[in-house]
Amino acid sequence: VPRLVVSGEVPRLKPAVALGTAVCAQSRKLFIVVATKADTTDFARFLALPRDRGGLGCMDALNLDGGPSTQLDAALPGLKLQTKGGWGVPNALVVVPR
């Protein structure tokens, strides 16, 4: 599982175009990003790009499995999101409030 952003920089990544899922931790905030088909390096650049320039400003981001296993299910006050994948997956990253 390659790191997409390391200390605010995008490392050299293997060229690939696929659905992408990444997690980015910023101090007390956690971003889970699901992208449509995108080039891995372009996806990483978006994650690292400062927020005032249209990116997320991630200092560190980890690439999760992409392709048909990319899924998201979020239920927050005032926000419900769901991105269905091509098949079920046996693991998940679960985030709950303290």
Side-chain angles (χ1 to χ4, degrees), residues 35-61:
T36 58
K37 261 191 181 177
D39 175 75
T40 305
T41 300
D42 291 340
F43 185 39
R45 288 182 182 140
F46 163 72
L47 296 170
L49 192 67
R51 295 183 77 189
D52 62 356
R53 293 179 46 210
L56 291 183
C58 294
M59 290 301 293
D60 295 285

Side-chain angles (χ1 to χ4, degrees), residues 38-97:
D39 175 75
T40 305
T41 300
D42 291 340
F43 185 39
R45 288 182 182 140
F46 163 72
L47 296 170
L49 192 67
R51 295 183 77 189
D52 62 356
R53 293 179 46 210
L56 291 183
C58 294
M59 290 301 293
D60 295 285
L62 181 66
N63 193 39
L64 303 177
D65 192 22
S69 63
T70 295
Q71 301 174 42
L72 173 70
D73 197 340
L76 304 167
L79 174 69
K80 288 194 184 284
L81 291 172
Q82 189 174 59
T83 300
K84 291 190 179 274
W87 51 64
V89 292
N91 54 27
L93 173 64
V94 178
V95 180
V96 295

